[in-house]
Amino acid sequence: MSAFSLTIGGKPATVASTFNVVNPADESVVAACPSGTAGLVDEAVASARAALAQWSAQSDSYRAEMLLAIANLIEQHHEELSRLITREQGKAQSGPGANYEVGGSAAWTRATAGLSLPDETIQDDSKGRIVVRRKPVGVVASITPWNWPMIIAVWHIAPALRVGCTVVIKPSPFTPLSTLRLVELMNQVLPPGVVNVVTGDGDVGTHLVNHPEVDKVVFTGSSVTGKKVMAGAAETLKRVTLELGGNDAGIILPGTDIEPLLERLFWGCFINAGQTCAALKRLYVHSGQYDQVVERFAAYIARVPVGDGLDPRNLIGPVSNRMQFDKVVAFVEDARRSGARIVVGGEPKDAPGYFYPLTLIANATDAMRVVKEEQFGPVIPLLRYETVEEAIERANSLDVGLGGSVWGNDPNEAARYAGRLECGTAWVNQHGALHPLAPFGGVKCSGIGVEFNVDGLKEYTTVQVVNVAL
Ligand code: NAD
């Protein structure tokens, strides 16, 4: 028995087995989670398909009201959801952590309720009338990662519901519990079958992506898996939105007064222990102030409390799972062997939990794995540059492009350079800030399509032109 259940067709589903969800802070079992199967995916897709006609025929204002009701439910269960996220994912209650994630989930749901996609009249004269309509794409399969499990679920589900789609979501097996609870709460107000949830690993995900009754896949996860999802979706020409990995560069312009920027620089790199798609993952610093920036940033980092996220004194929790922890260890060791200097951190304690210390790597080079590949951990490599042109070229040299940032005393000058970064969002004197009305997505291998605002809503629709001759 589990306190958590899959929701299919508005009801808890019967499952044959469970798997344990582990708390990364102490490796204890948070809960037994019901295991999804391909058969349960079939049931969930059938439920979503059955609910589609009625849900898509509801008035626009009714669906907006439903989203507002969901936002209220998230707020009413804020504390429960926030603690659950910390226990299954690790992020701290304090700082931009689990409370921030739940608050953001309610805020995004509310903002999505306020959006609309009215018909657009292209021509209306004596000859005829041409109207462009946006119709719901149909049944949406949503697949989510383990780093921000609840808010990413909301980013997928809310716009889909807003335009009249129905949903089957599959969360990451590392962090399924907050999504199970979220969908259970949504089903308190939604008609049965509108949102369904099935757990499982990549095989269950593949079955969902390949399902002929699914019309669209929205996937957030690694670029490697994203490519497989796109290939699977091609069989029935499903629409896809892919929000994939990044390896965001930041450039500190020569002569920048670093002291007032340290706090924002810190959160840009280390939010959620660096396990954020659009976190700053490689920082380019001019040689004229390289040593000073290394020293000031390292001193700042060393003061930030890391520990069990449930303790409100801690601002950063553990790495979220063993697989990711091992990856971070390997990347830092590779940098050390290749001649980098570990200025702070770099030595995990031999204790329960997947705690990796906040780590600053100096004398990093573009050839090191920690720079070339997405390390996704509490580690920041600092790279030396001589000219801004060279820094921009190196920042743009990878095959990913989610975010990027430029830091400087003159924000307008920095914004001009930021505009030359090859990425979906270019920040100035900050990194990673999102807004529900600012479209978010990646270029190159960081993704296809965007989320948020009207551009995000359109991703859940197909275009129909009604062309009337008079
Ligand atoms: P992942 O690609 O390993 O897994 C993501 C999800 O896909 C999980 O639910 C997993 O079970 C499922 N999955 C695995 N194989 C599958 C397959 N063949 N078919 C269908 N589903 C499959 O990613 P992760 O390790 O959970 O998440 C970390 C990655 O996500 C990082 O690369 C990060 O940058 C990225 N990410 C991107 C964004 C964004 O908005 N661009 C946001 C958050 C995370």
Side-chain angles (χ1 to χ4, degrees):
M1 271 299 285
S2 170
F4 295 88
S5 46
L6 312 185
T7 302
I8 298 177
K11 297 195 299 281
T14 307
V15 298
S17 63
T18 61
F19 62 94
N20 288 338
V21 175
V22 173
N23 181 339
D26 58 10
E27 299 174 56
S28 65
V29 174
V30 180
C33 177
S35 302
T37 58
L40 288 163
V41 167
D42 293 344
E43 283 180 35
V45 172
S47 296
R49 175 63 58 193
L52 181 63
Q54 220 177 4
W55 179 250
S56 59
Q58 292 286 0
S59 70
D60 198 58
S61 59
Y62 174 79
R63 288 197 300 262
E65 268 171 42
M66 287 296 104
L67 285 190
L68 293 177
I70 290 169
N72 290 343
L73 275 172
I74 293 171
E75 275 164 359
Q76 282 157 23
H77 293 81
H78 181 112
E79 194 180 341
E80 174 203 344
L81 292 164
S82 168
R83 292 181 70 81
L84 187 55
I85 289 171
T86 297
R87 288 168 63 227
E88 71 171 351
Q89 199 276 337
K91 64 171 65 79
Q93 290 279 295
S94 302
N99 280 302
Y100 174 82
E101 181 165 2
V102 179
S105 299
W108 249 270
T109 306
R110 224 176 267 290
T112 310
L115 301 173
S116 63
L117 276 179
D119 291 351
E120 203 184 332
T121 303
I122 302 296
Q123 182 191 333
D124 190 7
D125 56 26
S126 57
K127 293 200 185 101
R129 194 170 60 245
I130 303 176
V131 176
V132 181
R133 301 171 60 205
R134 291 271 171 180
K135 298 172 88 172
V137 65
V139 173
V140 171
S142 148
I143 298 183
T144 54
W146 47 261
N147 59 338
W148 292 90
M150 186 165 147
I151 200 165
I152 292 175
V154 162
W155 290 346
H156 291 185
I157 295 171
L161 297 190
R162 183 70 191 84
V163 301
C165 297
T166 57
V167 178
V168 177
I169 182 168
K170 190 206 81 64
S172 165
F174 290 117
T175 55
L177 303 175
S178 51
T179 305
L180 292 183
R181 187 66 182 121
L182 175 71
V183 172
E184 194 174 52
L185 291 172
M186 288 177 167
N187 273 271
Q188 289 181 9
V189 291
L190 293 172
V194 172
V195 179
N196 311 271
V197 55
V198 180
T199 58
D201 57 12
D203 289 344
V204 174
T206 303
H207 190 72
L208 180 59
V209 167
N210 294 353
H211 203 293
E213 288 292 316
V214 167
D215 301 295
K216 179 196 167 82
V217 183
V218 52
F219 171 83
T220 302
S222 62
S223 298
V224 171
T225 312
K227 290 173 190 171
K228 292 183 195 159
V229 166
M230 192 162 172
E235 184 61 30
T236 54
L237 281 189
K238 295 179 177 75
R239 277 56 186 154
V240 290
T241 301
L242 303 174
E243 295 290 356
L244 309 179
N247 193 347
D248 292 7
I251 299 171
I252 300 180
L253 294 179
T256 298
D257 181 8
I258 194 71
E259 207 63 40
L261 298 174
L262 284 175
E263 185 177 358
R264 279 189 251 157
L265 205 50
F266 174 82
W267 287 114
C269 301
F270 291 97
I271 183 169
N272 192 23
Q275 303 161 115
T276 299
C277 51
L280 208 172
K281 298 189 175 106
R282 46 196 176 111
L283 183 58
Y284 291 86
V285 184
H286 187 251
S287 60
Q289 64 174 157
Y290 185 85
D291 294 338
Q292 179 223 1
V293 172
V294 165
E295 186 223 321
R296 299 309 308 140
F297 199 17
Y300 187 98
I301 290 168
R303 288 201 304 270
V304 177
V306 179
D308 187 340
L310 288 177
D311 181 336
R313 288 169 301 185
N314 294 325
L315 289 177
I316 301 284
V319 171
S320 200
N321 51 66
R322 166 65 64 187
M323 173 199 74
Q324 193 59 36
F325 178 87
D326 291 343
K327 196 169 157 188
V328 173
V329 169
F331 276 30
V332 175
E333 288 319 308
D334 173 77
R336 207 192 302 266
R337 273 197 307 275
S338 312
R341 183 163 71 91
I342 314 300
V343 184
V344 62
E347 298 286 350
K349 287 197 194 98
D350 188 14
Y354 310 135
F355 288 100
Y356 196 89
L358 304 177
T359 299
L360 185 147
I361 300 181
N363 301 339
T365 66
D366 290 342
M368 291 174 184
R369 284 188 74 194
V370 73
V371 176
K372 277 193 306 197
E373 298 175 38
E374 186 188 34
Q375 31 97 357
F376 223 57
V379 178
I380 185 69
L382 267 59
L383 299 107
R384 208 183 284 266
Y385 73 82
E386 299 302 331
T387 68
V388 179
E389 290 303 319
E390 166 212 330
I392 291 175
E393 196 180 311
R394 289 162 70 191
N396 288 339
S397 65
L398 301 182
D399 68 351
V400 284
L402 192 54
S405 57
V406 178
W407 305 68
N409 297 334
D410 175 355
N412 295 324
E413 182 196 24
R416 280 194 297 277
Y417 285 122
R420 292 176 53 198
L421 294 176
E422 293 169 2
C423 55
T425 305
W427 287 283
V428 169
N429 291 343
Q430 59 175 348
H431 196 113
L434 301 181
H435 188 287
L437 301 183
F440 176 70
V443 300
K444 303 199 265 188
C445 288
S446 287
I448 293 181
V450 293
E451 300 185 282
F452 314 159
N453 206 347
V454 171
D455 291 318
L457 277 194
K458 286 179 179 170
E459 302 256 337
Y460 295 87
T461 65
T462 53
V463 171
Q464 183 178 52
V465 173
V466 180
N467 192 334
V468 181
L470 295 176

